[in-house]
Amino acid sequence: MILGRMRGAGIARAVMQGPRPVVLSGPSGAGKSTLLKKLFKDYENVFGFSVSHTTRQPRPGEVNGKDYHFVTREEMQKEIDAGEFIEHAEFSGNMYGTSKGAVQAVQAQNQICVLDVDIQGVKNIKKTELKPIYISVQPPSIEILEKRLRDRKTETEESLQKRLTAARVDLELSKEPGLFDLVIINDDLEKAYSELKEVLLEEIKKTEESRKS
Ligand code: ADP
Ligand code: 5GP
């Protein structure tokens, strides 16, 4: 594609020139981060994480600029107003969003850009030209999800209840035909990981091949 057209078309079209991005969604606690950690470890240079912005507090071990850009509501709203976000949403009392810069940073490395977003993010990304592969990671049941969230020990009782309410909505909305290219039920972690790898295999191969040439 010629440069002039790329400039005019903006970020979403520009992203399409590189490998196809991947959107991972699904209820909080379903296992997205766990699966992504494995994927990034096994394919270090192939994937790049789109580091979202959020107004929630960091969890122990989370690194600013790596897991999220942790910002205040004021800072984030200012950047949204300046048109710097592809999508943003309110989730469980906090703001979350994908900046254009987050996706661009991954694209600049010619890596497969992985976005971890909630269902509102999925719906909003559908309106853009990003054209990713959409994957929903789901728990075997709400009861198991609740147990995993409790065992993770990252949420207050209030936050946990909000996440369970959001999870019920997510699981209902996810039934919409065609919304996701793949739904992975994360019961056995290794099995879920195999399914994730299998659907991404073609893009992984293409990206690895392009590295060699
Ligand atoms: P998410 O990123 O979707 O919010 P996490 O990856 O943090 O979810 O997973 C939530 C919790 O469940 C974590 O403590 C994780 O170790 C655990 N977990 C993830 N997958 C499984 C699984 N297949 N079986 C049991 N526990 C799991
Ligand atoms: P957590 O607080 O557990 O890290 O994330 C809560 C929810 O926010 C998850 O469903 C996660 O996918 C979603 N999320 C994380 N980043 C973004 C983002 O940039 N945009 C949207 N729409 N959701 C996000």
PDB file of all heavy atoms in Angstrom, residues 126-152:
ATOM      1  N   LYS A 126     -15.135  -4.173  16.622  1.00  0.00           N
ATOM      2  CA  LYS A 126     -15.843  -4.639  15.421  1.00  0.00           C
ATOM      3  C   LYS A 126     -16.192  -3.487  14.481  1.00  0.00           C
ATOM      4  O   LYS A 126     -16.380  -3.677  13.298  1.00  0.00           O
ATOM      5  CB  LYS A 126     -17.129  -5.371  15.814  1.00  0.00           C
ATOM      6  CG  LYS A 126     -16.884  -6.699  16.470  1.00  0.00           C
ATOM      7  CD  LYS A 126     -17.398  -7.865  15.679  1.00  0.00           C
ATOM      8  CE  LYS A 126     -16.805  -9.154  16.239  1.00  0.00           C
ATOM      9  NZ  LYS A 126     -17.264 -10.356  15.565  1.00  0.00           N
ATOM     10  N   LYS A 127     -16.296  -2.279  15.052  1.00  0.00           N
ATOM     11  CA  LYS A 127     -16.663  -1.107  14.233  1.00  0.00           C
ATOM     12  C   LYS A 127     -15.438  -0.509  13.538  1.00  0.00           C
ATOM     13  O   LYS A 127     -15.572   0.415  12.757  1.00  0.00           O
ATOM     14  CB  LYS A 127     -17.300  -0.032  15.123  1.00  0.00           C
ATOM     15  CG  LYS A 127     -18.618  -0.452  15.743  1.00  0.00           C
ATOM     16  CD  LYS A 127     -19.118   0.641  16.683  1.00  0.00           C
ATOM     17  CE  LYS A 127     -20.167   0.122  17.650  1.00  0.00           C
ATOM     18  NZ  LYS A 127     -20.219   0.896  18.894  1.00  0.00           N
ATOM     19  N   THR A 128     -14.238  -0.974  13.865  1.00  0.00           N
ATOM     20  CA  THR A 128     -13.018  -0.422  13.265  1.00  0.00           C
ATOM     21  C   THR A 128     -12.551  -1.329  12.114  1.00  0.00           C
ATOM     22  O   THR A 128     -13.174  -2.346  11.816  1.00  0.00           O
ATOM     23  CB  THR A 128     -11.870  -0.341  14.303  1.00  0.00           C
ATOM     24  OG1 THR A 128     -11.391  -1.660  14.575  1.00  0.00           O
ATOM     25  CG2 THR A 128     -12.323   0.310  15.598  1.00  0.00           C
ATOM     26  N   GLU A 129     -11.451  -0.935  11.515  1.00  0.00           N
ATOM     27  CA  GLU A 129     -10.883  -1.716  10.414  1.00  0.00           C
ATOM     28  C   GLU A 129      -9.800  -2.674  10.901  1.00  0.00           C
ATOM     29  O   GLU A 129      -9.038  -3.208  10.101  1.00  0.00           O
ATOM     30  CB  GLU A 129     -10.286  -0.767   9.359  1.00  0.00           C
ATOM     31  CG  GLU A 129     -11.324   0.044   8.606  1.00  0.00           C
ATOM     32  CD  GLU A 129     -12.286  -0.840   7.818  1.00  0.00           C
ATOM     33  OE1 GLU A 129     -11.820  -1.754   7.129  1.00  0.00           O
ATOM     34  OE2 GLU A 129     -13.512  -0.614   7.917  1.00  0.00           O
ATOM     35  N   LEU A 130      -9.711  -2.884  12.204  1.00  0.00           N
ATOM     36  CA  LEU A 130      -8.618  -3.696  12.757  1.00  0.00           C
ATOM     37  C   LEU A 130      -8.669  -5.151  12.284  1.00  0.00           C
ATOM     38  O   LEU A 130      -7.643  -5.771  12.077  1.00  0.00           O
ATOM     39  CB  LEU A 130      -8.662  -3.627  14.292  1.00  0.00           C
ATOM     40  CG  LEU A 130      -7.395  -3.965  15.041  1.00  0.00           C
ATOM     41  CD1 LEU A 130      -6.290  -2.960  14.760  1.00  0.00           C
ATOM     42  CD2 LEU A 130      -7.665  -3.999  16.550  1.00  0.00           C
ATOM     43  N   LYS A 131      -9.883  -5.672  12.139  1.00  0.00           N
ATOM     44  CA  LYS A 131     -10.112  -7.038  11.635  1.00  0.00           C
ATOM     45  C   LYS A 131      -9.251  -8.121  12.309  1.00  0.00           C
ATOM     46  O   LYS A 131      -8.529  -8.866  11.654  1.00  0.00           O
ATOM     47  CB  LYS A 131      -9.873  -7.085  10.109  1.00  0.00           C
ATOM     48  CG  LYS A 131     -10.697  -6.075   9.315  1.00  0.00           C
ATOM     49  CD  LYS A 131     -12.116  -6.560   9.078  1.00  0.00           C
ATOM     50  CE  LYS A 131     -12.952  -5.569   8.269  1.00  0.00           C
ATOM     51  NZ  LYS A 131     -13.830  -4.713   9.066  1.00  0.00           N
ATOM     52  N   PRO A 132      -9.341  -8.199  13.633  1.00  0.00           N
ATOM     53  CA  PRO A 132      -8.571  -9.236  14.333  1.00  0.00           C
ATOM     54  C   PRO A 132      -9.273 -10.592  14.323  1.00  0.00           C
ATOM     55  O   PRO A 132     -10.401 -10.717  13.848  1.00  0.00           O
ATOM     56  CB  PRO A 132      -8.522  -8.696  15.766  1.00  0.00           C
ATOM     57  CG  PRO A 132      -9.797  -7.939  15.891  1.00  0.00           C
ATOM     58  CD  PRO A 132     -10.167  -7.399  14.542  1.00  0.00           C
ATOM     59  N   ILE A 133      -8.601 -11.580  14.882  1.00  0.00           N
ATOM     60  CA  ILE A 133      -9.224 -12.867  15.185  1.00  0.00           C
ATOM     61  C   ILE A 133      -9.832 -12.693  16.580  1.00  0.00           C
ATOM     62  O   ILE A 133      -9.140 -12.248  17.497  1.00  0.00           O
ATOM     63  CB  ILE A 133      -8.165 -14.003  15.214  1.00  0.00           C
ATOM     64  CG1 ILE A 133      -7.473 -14.112  13.858  1.00  0.00           C
ATOM     65  CG2 ILE A 133      -8.793 -15.330  15.641  1.00  0.00           C
ATOM     66  CD1 ILE A 133      -6.248 -15.039  13.852  1.00  0.00           C
ATOM     67  N   TYR A 134     -11.111 -13.000  16.730  1.00  0.00           N
ATOM     68  CA  TYR A 134     -11.801 -12.804  18.019  1.00  0.00           C
ATOM     69  C   TYR A 134     -11.921 -14.128  18.762  1.00  0.00           C
ATOM     70  O   TYR A 134     -12.531 -15.073  18.251  1.00  0.00           O
ATOM     71  CB  TYR A 134     -13.200 -12.240  17.799  1.00  0.00           C
ATOM     72  CG  TYR A 134     -13.226 -10.820  17.276  1.00  0.00           C
ATOM     73  CD1 TYR A 134     -13.371 -10.578  15.912  1.00  0.00           C
ATOM     74  CD2 TYR A 134     -13.122  -9.733  18.139  1.00  0.00           C
ATOM     75  CE1 TYR A 134     -13.394  -9.270  15.419  1.00  0.00           C
ATOM     76  CE2 TYR A 134     -13.138  -8.435  17.657  1.00  0.00           C
ATOM     77  CZ  TYR A 134     -13.280  -8.212  16.305  1.00  0.00           C
ATOM     78  OH  TYR A 134     -13.306  -6.929  15.817  1.00  0.00           O
ATOM     79  N   ILE A 135     -11.365 -14.182  19.958  1.00  0.00           N
ATOM     80  CA  ILE A 135     -11.428 -15.400  20.772  1.00  0.00           C
ATOM     81  C   ILE A 135     -12.023 -15.075  22.146  1.00  0.00           C
ATOM     82  O   ILE A 135     -11.628 -14.097  22.778  1.00  0.00           O
ATOM     83  CB  ILE A 135     -10.008 -16.002  20.961  1.00  0.00           C
ATOM     84  CG1 ILE A 135      -9.385 -16.305  19.588  1.00  0.00           C
ATOM     85  CG2 ILE A 135     -10.062 -17.263  21.828  1.00  0.00           C
ATOM     86  CD1 ILE A 135      -7.919 -16.646  19.644  1.00  0.00           C
ATOM     87  N   SER A 136     -12.973 -15.906  22.562  1.00  0.00           N
ATOM     88  CA  SER A 136     -13.530 -15.749  23.905  1.00  0.00           C
ATOM     89  C   SER A 136     -13.039 -16.902  24.781  1.00  0.00           C
ATOM     90  O   SER A 136     -13.166 -18.071  24.406  1.00  0.00           O
ATOM     91  CB  SER A 136     -15.063 -15.755  23.855  1.00  0.00           C
ATOM     92  OG  SER A 136     -15.592 -15.772  25.164  1.00  0.00           O
ATOM     93  N   VAL A 137     -12.460 -16.550  25.922  1.00  0.00           N
ATOM     94  CA  VAL A 137     -12.045 -17.570  26.889  1.00  0.00           C
ATOM     95  C   VAL A 137     -13.103 -17.601  27.985  1.00  0.00           C
ATOM     96  O   VAL A 137     -13.393 -16.566  28.595  1.00  0.00           O
ATOM     97  CB  VAL A 137     -10.662 -17.246  27.496  1.00  0.00           C
ATOM     98  CG1 VAL A 137     -10.252 -18.311  28.516  1.00  0.00           C
ATOM     99  CG2 VAL A 137      -9.608 -17.136  26.399  1.00  0.00           C
ATOM    100  N   GLN A 138     -13.679 -18.774  28.216  1.00  0.00           N
ATOM    101  CA  GLN A 138     -14.775 -18.864  29.179  1.00  0.00           C
ATOM    102  C   GLN A 138     -14.506 -19.929  30.235  1.00  0.00           C
ATOM    103  O   GLN A 138     -13.856 -20.931  29.952  1.00  0.00           O
ATOM    104  CB  GLN A 138     -16.086 -19.162  28.426  1.00  0.00           C
ATOM    105  CG  GLN A 138     -16.413 -18.065  27.419  1.00  0.00           C
ATOM    106  CD  GLN A 138     -17.753 -18.260  26.725  1.00  0.00           C
ATOM    107  OE1 GLN A 138     -18.497 -19.200  27.013  1.00  0.00           O
ATOM    108  NE2 GLN A 138     -18.060 -17.349  25.816  1.00  0.00           N
ATOM    109  N   PRO A 139     -15.033 -19.710  31.434  1.00  0.00           N
ATOM    110  CA  PRO A 139     -14.856 -20.723  32.494  1.00  0.00           C
ATOM    111  C   PRO A 139     -15.844 -21.874  32.279  1.00  0.00           C
ATOM    112  O   PRO A 139     -16.861 -21.691  31.612  1.00  0.00           O
ATOM    113  CB  PRO A 139     -15.223 -19.940  33.755  1.00  0.00           C
ATOM    114  CG  PRO A 139     -16.242 -18.955  33.275  1.00  0.00           C
ATOM    115  CD  PRO A 139     -15.864 -18.581  31.877  1.00  0.00           C
ATOM    116  N   PRO A 140     -15.586 -23.038  32.854  1.00  0.00           N
ATOM    117  CA  PRO A 140     -16.525 -24.158  32.722  1.00  0.00           C
ATOM    118  C   PRO A 140     -17.885 -23.833  33.347  1.00  0.00           C
ATOM    119  O   PRO A 140     -18.908 -24.340  32.905  1.00  0.00           O
ATOM    120  CB  PRO A 140     -15.845 -25.306  33.483  1.00  0.00           C
ATOM    121  CG  PRO A 140     -14.417 -24.911  33.603  1.00  0.00           C
ATOM    122  CD  PRO A 140     -14.371 -23.425  33.603  1.00  0.00           C
ATOM    123  N   SER A 141     -17.898 -23.008  34.408  1.00  0.00           N
ATOM    124  CA  SER A 141     -19.156 -22.605  35.048  1.00  0.00           C
ATOM    125  C   SER A 141     -18.906 -21.335  35.862  1.00  0.00           C
ATOM    126  O   SER A 141     -17.758 -21.000  36.168  1.00  0.00           O
ATOM    127  CB  SER A 141     -19.660 -23.708  35.995  1.00  0.00           C
ATOM    128  OG  SER A 141     -18.767 -23.814  37.093  1.00  0.00           O
ATOM    129  N   ILE A 142     -19.989 -20.662  36.250  1.00  0.00           N
ATOM    130  CA  ILE A 142     -19.876 -19.461  37.087  1.00  0.00           C
ATOM    131  C   ILE A 142     -19.296 -19.829  38.453  1.00  0.00           C
ATOM    132  O   ILE A 142     -18.509 -19.090  39.027  1.00  0.00           O
ATOM    133  CB  ILE A 142     -21.262 -18.774  37.255  1.00  0.00           C
ATOM    134  CG1 ILE A 142     -21.621 -17.998  35.983  1.00  0.00           C
ATOM    135  CG2 ILE A 142     -21.299 -17.861  38.462  1.00  0.00           C
ATOM    136  CD1 ILE A 142     -20.956 -16.620  35.860  1.00  0.00           C
ATOM    137  N   GLU A 143     -19.665 -21.017  38.956  1.00  0.00           N
ATOM    138  CA  GLU A 143     -19.170 -21.455  40.272  1.00  0.00           C
ATOM    139  C   GLU A 143     -17.645 -21.604  40.240  1.00  0.00           C
ATOM    140  O   GLU A 143     -16.948 -21.181  41.168  1.00  0.00           O
ATOM    141  CB  GLU A 143     -19.819 -22.794  40.676  1.00  0.00           C
ATOM    142  CG  GLU A 143     -21.301 -22.713  41.009  1.00  0.00           C
ATOM    143  CD  GLU A 143     -22.200 -22.489  39.791  1.00  0.00           C
ATOM    144  OE1 GLU A 143     -21.792 -22.852  38.667  1.00  0.00           O
ATOM    145  OE2 GLU A 143     -23.297 -21.921  39.963  1.00  0.00           O
ATOM    146  N   ILE A 144     -17.147 -22.202  39.176  1.00  0.00           N
ATOM    147  CA  ILE A 144     -15.690 -22.382  39.053  1.00  0.00           C
ATOM    148  C   ILE A 144     -15.009 -21.017  38.869  1.00  0.00           C
ATOM    149  O   ILE A 144     -13.948 -20.761  39.438  1.00  0.00           O
ATOM    150  CB  ILE A 144     -15.353 -23.367  37.902  1.00  0.00           C
ATOM    151  CG1 ILE A 144     -15.800 -24.775  38.307  1.00  0.00           C
ATOM    152  CG2 ILE A 144     -13.852 -23.339  37.571  1.00  0.00           C
ATOM    153  CD1 ILE A 144     -15.646 -25.836  37.246  1.00  0.00           C
ATOM    154  N   LEU A 145     -15.661 -20.147  38.120  1.00  0.00           N
ATOM    155  CA  LEU A 145     -15.108 -18.796  37.938  1.00  0.00           C
ATOM    156  C   LEU A 145     -14.980 -18.094  39.293  1.00  0.00           C
ATOM    157  O   LEU A 145     -13.945 -17.495  39.606  1.00  0.00           O
ATOM    158  CB  LEU A 145     -16.020 -17.971  37.008  1.00  0.00           C
ATOM    159  CG  LEU A 145     -15.529 -16.563  36.715  1.00  0.00           C
ATOM    160  CD1 LEU A 145     -14.351 -16.595  35.746  1.00  0.00           C
ATOM    161  CD2 LEU A 145     -16.634 -15.697  36.135  1.00  0.00           C
ATOM    162  N   GLU A 146     -16.040 -18.189  40.096  1.00  0.00           N
ATOM    163  CA  GLU A 146     -16.015 -17.548  41.414  1.00  0.00           C
ATOM    164  C   GLU A 146     -14.884 -18.119  42.263  1.00  0.00           C
ATOM    165  O   GLU A 146     -14.136 -17.366  42.896  1.00  0.00           O
ATOM    166  CB  GLU A 146     -17.366 -17.754  42.127  1.00  0.00           C
ATOM    167  CG  GLU A 146     -17.356 -17.144  43.513  1.00  0.00           C
ATOM    168  CD  GLU A 146     -18.728 -17.082  44.171  1.00  0.00           C
ATOM    169  OE1 GLU A 146     -19.730 -17.423  43.525  1.00  0.00           O
ATOM    170  OE2 GLU A 146     -18.777 -16.685  45.359  1.00  0.00           O
ATOM    171  N   LYS A 147     -14.708 -19.419  42.214  1.00  0.00           N
ATOM    172  CA  LYS A 147     -13.641 -20.050  43.000  1.00  0.00           C
ATOM    173  C   LYS A 147     -12.271 -19.543  42.532  1.00  0.00           C
ATOM    174  O   LYS A 147     -11.413 -19.196  43.345  1.00  0.00           O
ATOM    175  CB  LYS A 147     -13.732 -21.579  42.885  1.00  0.00           C
ATOM    176  CG  LYS A 147     -12.681 -22.264  43.737  1.00  0.00           C
ATOM    177  CD  LYS A 147     -12.765 -23.768  43.751  1.00  0.00           C
ATOM    178  CE  LYS A 147     -11.750 -24.396  44.696  1.00  0.00           C
ATOM    179  NZ  LYS A 147     -10.391 -23.888  44.590  1.00  0.00           N
ATOM    180  N   ARG A 148     -12.090 -19.459  41.218  1.00  0.00           N
ATOM    181  CA  ARG A 148     -10.793 -19.002  40.687  1.00  0.00           C
ATOM    182  C   ARG A 148     -10.511 -17.557  41.080  1.00  0.00           C
ATOM    183  O   ARG A 148      -9.385 -17.205  41.445  1.00  0.00           O
ATOM    184  CB  ARG A 148     -10.764 -19.144  39.161  1.00  0.00           C
ATOM    185  CG  ARG A 148     -10.613 -20.581  38.731  1.00  0.00           C
ATOM    186  CD  ARG A 148     -10.453 -20.698  37.235  1.00  0.00           C
ATOM    187  NE  ARG A 148     -10.516 -22.095  36.818  1.00  0.00           N
ATOM    188  CZ  ARG A 148     -10.674 -22.486  35.578  1.00  0.00           C
ATOM    189  NH1 ARG A 148     -10.783 -21.603  34.610  1.00  0.00           N
ATOM    190  NH2 ARG A 148     -10.715 -23.780  35.283  1.00  0.00           N
ATOM    191  N   LEU A 149     -11.572 -16.741  41.006  1.00  0.00           N
ATOM    192  CA  LEU A 149     -11.390 -15.331  41.384  1.00  0.00           C
ATOM    193  C   LEU A 149     -11.055 -15.204  42.872  1.00  0.00           C
ATOM    194  O   LEU A 149     -10.197 -14.409  43.258  1.00  0.00           O
ATOM    195  CB  LEU A 149     -12.648 -14.517  41.049  1.00  0.00           C
ATOM    196  CG  LEU A 149     -12.767 -14.021  39.610  1.00  0.00           C
ATOM    197  CD1 LEU A 149     -14.124 -13.362  39.384  1.00  0.00           C
ATOM    198  CD2 LEU A 149     -11.656 -13.036  39.244  1.00  0.00           C
ATOM    199  N   ARG A 150     -11.743 -16.011  43.689  1.00  0.00           N
ATOM    200  CA  ARG A 150     -11.471 -15.968  45.144  1.00  0.00           C
ATOM    201  C   ARG A 150     -10.051 -16.448  45.431  1.00  0.00           C
ATOM    202  O   ARG A 150      -9.320 -15.828  46.191  1.00  0.00           O
ATOM    203  CB  ARG A 150     -12.477 -16.831  45.909  1.00  0.00           C
ATOM    204  CG  ARG A 150     -13.845 -16.201  46.009  1.00  0.00           C
ATOM    205  CD  ARG A 150     -14.740 -16.890  47.026  1.00  0.00           C
ATOM    206  NE  ARG A 150     -16.085 -16.329  46.949  1.00  0.00           N
ATOM    207  CZ  ARG A 150     -16.441 -15.174  47.486  1.00  0.00           C
ATOM    208  NH1 ARG A 150     -15.574 -14.469  48.175  1.00  0.00           N
ATOM    209  NH2 ARG A 150     -17.678 -14.710  47.349  1.00  0.00           N
ATOM    210  N   ASP A 151      -9.675 -17.556  44.774  1.00  0.00           N
ATOM    211  CA  ASP A 151      -8.336 -18.117  45.014  1.00  0.00           C
ATOM    212  C   ASP A 151      -7.230 -17.164  44.529  1.00  0.00           C
ATOM    213  O   ASP A 151      -6.115 -17.210  45.036  1.00  0.00           O
ATOM    214  CB  ASP A 151      -8.185 -19.476  44.316  1.00  0.00           C
ATOM    215  CG  ASP A 151      -9.030 -20.555  44.994  1.00  0.00           C
ATOM    216  OD1 ASP A 151      -9.559 -20.278  46.094  1.00  0.00           O
ATOM    217  OD2 ASP A 151      -9.172 -21.657  44.425  1.00  0.00           O
ATOM    218  N   ARG A 152      -7.549 -16.357  43.518  1.00  0.00           N
ATOM    219  CA  ARG A 152      -6.544 -15.424  42.990  1.00  0.00           C
ATOM    220  C   ARG A 152      -6.211 -14.345  44.012  1.00  0.00           C
ATOM    221  O   ARG A 152      -5.146 -13.739  43.969  1.00  0.00           O
ATOM    222  CB  ARG A 152      -7.060 -14.798  41.673  1.00  0.00           C
ATOM    223  CG  ARG A 152      -5.974 -14.105  40.889  1.00  0.00           C
ATOM    224  CD  ARG A 152      -6.441 -13.689  39.502  1.00  0.00           C
ATOM    225  NE  ARG A 152      -7.363 -12.543  39.556  1.00  0.00           N
ATOM    226  CZ  ARG A 152      -7.948 -11.999  38.499  1.00  0.00           C
ATOM    227  NH1 ARG A 152      -7.716 -12.492  37.280  1.00  0.00           N
ATOM    228  NH2 ARG A 152      -8.772 -10.972  38.627  1.00  0.00           N
TER     229      ARG A 152
END
